């Protein structure tokens, strides 16, 4: 796990001296993504920078930028290739020789042998930039599910790239302007769907995308090496439990490959408890588990984590997060990189800080809920498709009438139904997870951007691509894998962990497991795909009976946070400043009257207050403050 940054001059002879100095400055500030080594390389046209977090081959042989075949190939790489030993053996048999024990060297040899489709051979999480000096081609790539980030900014003369978008501020002469369509998406969703970003002219490389720049012809070529849509609905039968068990065990075995200790994020829920059972069986040494505790017992899961850790003889380190402060919030927004309204970024940031004192790598349960339908909104979506839109229109009318009686729950339901019914396009499960529809969210912006490119239109197109081989309900149930997962949950995990030089690995998101589940979309209505029943059954096989029974019968408990208490108590000083009239009048994007009214509603806990929206705006206001200061870079 590392950080990469660099640029390409499209024209030979371009004066890049100042930009080269800016690159070094960016690398210095990016130290948290890789404190073990800083490296640069250039040939006066291609400039590559790298920060290394040493996980595999801890020697200096693994330092980057990495050269191969007498400097013909130069690579900077962020991530891990879990099957690199198998690939290496295969390539040795084909006549390739290797001089290090790194997975980095295997990437280059795979590119040489397999050509443009070489990423299909890679099992892992990755973002890379590879320069073939003889062919004069620069190849950018990203893993199948978008676990590792890579941002690209291109103008007439240069192509910049970075693991984090904020570091484009380090390059002199770049004017980063906020994209109002992306801001509207953020206010509506709490994240910005790729490939769009908060800045005009900056894009994310999409998951499974290969982008190639030819220095000679000055042309670009883009293709994808993997597409989730291709697997939808292909399997005629649901997987047997043994098949899921075999795929998951295989995934975890791969993710235990490292030359450093590996820990576990243990919430005490089904996903992480199952990982604990596998790790205790496969890791070969005593596993350190990390848990978040709250003083608020309604939010606290540490008791469950203690039972699981105790039954498996794991060391459990519990961090109490009740006493957060303004600095925690400011740092979380800084490291989130783009605006991100997921309030769990703060506890994730803090637990990563604690983890970093003990291990460099942890396993995490991201993806299990999306694959095995653990969220309540999957149930709601089934009701929506079975009852039809007309029934929800009628429900909105009824809830609106009842809400006039001042009943808080009726007011809340009425407002949610209003948002759901205001979509012009079917957004699938995002109708439940979004804060507001884009139409309603636009009321909080000073200028309403054009509606041609917002997220609901994009999500609707994904639904139709899934629908080629799957029913509309199944298509909707797969949508989170393309949207919320890579652009919110995986961003939160990557950025908050890397803020403290910790690598997070996600066994439930091994591509073979994802392919098998997505191919079974036609079976999503059978009992094993309801409420993570596959995983509940596996728990009974992997954990001691008492703890397995306790955890398997638990209802879903999300990673909730007391964010309203935070805003009015722990973070009140910064919240009062950000929502003040003086601060809001300096913001050219949000309507001060609407935002201040929202803030007053929150402080007085008025019925119908959209607390998620208030937190989302709070996060943007702090992000914008840092953007205006170029993040101190």
């Amino acid at each position: 796990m590392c950080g990469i940054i660099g640029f390409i001059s499209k024209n030979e002879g371009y004066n890049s001296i100042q930009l080269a100095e800016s690159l070094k400055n960016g690398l210095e500030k990016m130290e948290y993504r890789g404190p073990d080594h800083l490296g640069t390389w250039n040939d006066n046209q291609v400039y590559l920078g790298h920060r290394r977090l040493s996980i595999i081959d801890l020697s200096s042989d693994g330092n980057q930028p990495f050269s191969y075949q007498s400097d013909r190939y130069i690579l900077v790489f962020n991530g891990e290739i879990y099957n690199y030993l198998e690939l290496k053996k295969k390539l040795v048999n084909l006549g390739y020789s290797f001089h290090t024990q790194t997975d980095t060297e295997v990437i280059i040899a795979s590119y040489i042998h397999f050509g443009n489709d070489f990423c299909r051979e890679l099992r892992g999480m990755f973002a890379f930039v590879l320069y073939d000096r003889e062919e004069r081609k620069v190849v950018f790539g990203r893993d199948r599910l978008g676990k590792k980030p890579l941002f690209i900014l291109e103008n007439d003369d240069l192509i910049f790239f970075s693991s984090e978008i904020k570091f484009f501020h380090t390059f002199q002469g770049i004017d980063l302007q906020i994209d109002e369509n992306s801001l509207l998406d953020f206010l509506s969703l709490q994240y910005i769907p790729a490939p769009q970003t908060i800045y005009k002219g900056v894009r994310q490389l999409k998951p499974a995308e290969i982008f190639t720049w030819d220095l000679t012809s000055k042309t670009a070529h883009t293709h994808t090496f993997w597409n989730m849509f291709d697997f939808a609905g292909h399997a005629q039968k649901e997987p047997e439990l043994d098949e899921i068990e075999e795929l998951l065990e295989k995934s975890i075995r791969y993710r235990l490959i490292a030359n450093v200790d590996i820990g576990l994020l243990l919430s005490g829920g089904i996903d992480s408890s199952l990982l604990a059972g596998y790790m205790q069986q496969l890791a070969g040494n005593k596993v350190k588990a990390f848990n978040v505790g709250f003083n608020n017992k309604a939010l606290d899961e540490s008791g469950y984590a203690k039972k699981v850790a105790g039954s498996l003889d794991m060391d459990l380190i519990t961090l109490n997060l009740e006493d957060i402060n303004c600095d925690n919030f400011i740092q979380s927004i800084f490291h989130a990189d783009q605006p991100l309204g997921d309030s769990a970024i703060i506890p994730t940031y803090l637990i990563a800080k604690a983890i970093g004192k003990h291990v460099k790598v942890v396993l995490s349960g991201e993806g299990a809920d999306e694959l095995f339908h653990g969220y309540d909104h999957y149930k709601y979506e089934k009701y929506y498709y079975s009852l039809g839109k007309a029934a929800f229109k009628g429900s909105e009318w009824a809830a609106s009438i009842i809400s006039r009686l001042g009943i808080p729950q009726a007011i809340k339901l009425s407002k949610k139904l209003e948002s759901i019914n205001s979509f012009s396009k079917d957004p699938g499960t995002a109708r439940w997870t979004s804060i507001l529809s884009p139409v309603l969210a636009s009321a909080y912006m000073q200028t309403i951007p054009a509606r041609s490119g917002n997220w609901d239109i994009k999500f609707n197109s994904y639904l139709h691509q899934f629908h080629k081989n799957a029913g509309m309900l199944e298509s909707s149930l797969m949508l989170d894998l393309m949207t919320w997962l890579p652009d919110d949950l995986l961003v939160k995990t990557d950025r908050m962990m890397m803020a403290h030089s910790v690598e997070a690995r996600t066994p439930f998101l091994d591509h073979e497991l994802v392919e098998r589940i997505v191919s079974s979309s036609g079976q999503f209505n059978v009992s094993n795909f309801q409420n993570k029943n596959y995983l509940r059954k596996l728990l009974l096989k992997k954990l001691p009976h008492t703890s397995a029974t306790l955890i398997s019968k638990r209802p879903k408990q999300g990673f909730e946070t007391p964010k309203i208490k935070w805003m009015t108590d722990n973070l009140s000083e910064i919240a009062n400043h950000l929502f003040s009239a003086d601060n809001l009048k300096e913001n050219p994007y949000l309507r001060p009257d609407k935002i201040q009214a929202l803030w007053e509603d929150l402080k007085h806990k008025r019925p119908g207050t959209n607390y998620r929206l208030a937190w989302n705006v709070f996060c943007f206001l702090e992000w914008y403050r840092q953007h205006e200061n170029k993040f101190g870079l």
Side-chain angles (χ1 to χ4, degrees), residues 26-42:
L27 279 174
E28 292 287 347
K29 299 294 178 60
M30 199 189 281
E31 181 180 9
Y32 55 83
R33 287 197 73 94
D36 297 326
H37 181 259
L38 179 155
T40 61
W41 181 95
N42 78 84

Side-chain angles (χ1 to χ4, degrees), residues 20 34-35 59 78 86 113 117 172 187-188 279 285 328 340 386 408 421 439 459 465 510 548 550 572 592 601:
S59 74
N78 169 30
E86 297 166 30
H113 187 78
D117 291 329
Q172 296 181 13
L187 292 177
S188 181
M279 286 187 74
N285 57 345
N328 302 150
L340 184 62
S386 62
N421 291 323
V439 171
F459 287 18
Q465 291 182 72
D510 185 87
L550 174 69
S572 60
D601 288 345

Side-chain angles (χ1 to χ4, degrees), residues 218-237:
K218 300 180 183 179
T219 57
H221 174 72
T222 300
H223 75 280
T224 57
F225 64 88
W226 185 86
N227 194 326
M228 196 182 300
F229 303 126
D230 294 340
F231 300 94
H234 283 190
Q236 299 302 310
K237 296 181 180 179

Side-chain angles (χ1 to χ4, degrees), residues 276-520:
Y278 276 104
M279 286 187 74
Q280 192 269 349
Q281 171 191 339
L282 302 173
N285 57 345
K286 195 164 186 176
V287 175
K288 284 186 172 67
F290 301 89
N291 171 256
V292 178
F294 290 97
N295 289 336
N296 185 336
K297 296 304 179 185
L299 304 176
D300 188 55
E301 296 183 273
S302 59
Y304 293 101
K306 288 175 183 176
K307 289 184 181 298
V308 172
S311 70
L312 295 172
D313 191 30
M314 286 182 158
D315 290 331
L316 181 66
I317 299 168
T318 298
L319 176 67
N320 190 296
L321 303 183
E322 195 68 23
D323 298 319
I324 72 160
N325 56 48
C326 290
D327 184 63
N328 302 150
F329 175 67
I330 291 168
Q331 288 300 314
S332 296
I333 297 299
F334 174 87
H335 287 288
D337 202 30
Q338 294 199 85
L340 184 62
D342 190 328
S343 60
I345 61 174
I346 301 177
T348 305
Y349 173 85
L350 289 172
I351 198 169
K353 185 177 182 179
I355 289 170
K357 299 174 183 177
H358 300 275
V359 296
K360 279 187 171 183
V361 180
V362 290
L363 299 196
S364 177
E366 269 81 15
D369 284 302
E370 291 77 13
L371 276 181
F372 296 99
H373 305 159
Y375 295 123
D376 285 342
H377 65 257
Y378 296 137
K379 301 175 189 175
Y380 306 154
E381 191 69 350
K382 291 174 183 178
Y383 299 149
Y384 188 90
Y385 274 96
S386 62
L387 295 174
K389 188 173 183 177
F392 279 75
K393 281 284 188 183
S395 298
E396 180 189 349
W397 176 82
S400 176
I401 296 296
I402 298 171
S403 69
R404 295 172 190 172
L405 300 175
I407 302 172
Q409 289 302 317
I411 296 172
K412 182 178 179 180
L413 177 61
S414 175
K415 288 183 175 292
K416 186 61 183 178
L417 289 170
E418 178 189 10
S419 180
I420 287 171
N421 291 323
S422 66
F423 284 101
S424 59
K425 297 280 188 179
D426 184 353
T429 49
R431 76 181 96 248
W432 308 103
T433 56
S434 59
I435 298 172
L436 288 172
S437 70
V439 171
L440 297 179
S442 65
Y444 293 86
M445 295 187 64
Q446 290 201 31
T447 303
I448 301 175
R451 291 279 296 113
S452 60
N454 285 116
W455 68 265
D456 54 335
I457 297 169
K458 181 188 303 181
F459 287 18
N460 184 259
S461 72
Y462 291 160
L463 283 179
H464 285 287
Q465 291 182 72
F466 275 129
H467 189 43
K468 293 175 182 177
N469 294 306
M472 282 304 291
L473 172 60
E474 302 93 271
S475 299
S476 181
L477 297 182
M478 289 183 279
L479 191 62
D480 283 346
L481 292 167
M482 298 283 294
T483 56
W484 188 23
L485 179 68
D487 294 324
D488 182 325
L489 302 182
L490 293 179
V491 170
K492 172 185 65 183
T493 301
D494 175 78
R495 305 305 193 278
M496 296 305 110
M497 289 293 161
M498 288 307 298
H500 300 288
S501 308
V502 176
E503 172 179 296
R505 299 180 175 183
T506 52
F508 289 106
L509 293 177
D510 185 87
H511 74 274
E512 285 189 0
L513 179 59
V514 172
E515 290 167 6
R516 183 64 185 93
I517 298 302
V518 170
S519 71
S520 303

Side-chain angles (χ1 to χ4, degrees), residues 563-572 575-576 599 602-603 605:
K563 51 182 173 286
I564 307 310
K565 177 183 180 298
W566 289 348
M567 293 177 72
T568 57
D569 187 356
N570 305 59
L571 307 178
S572 60
N576 284 321
W599 177 232
L602 180 144
K603 288 192 295 184
K605 298 183 180 178

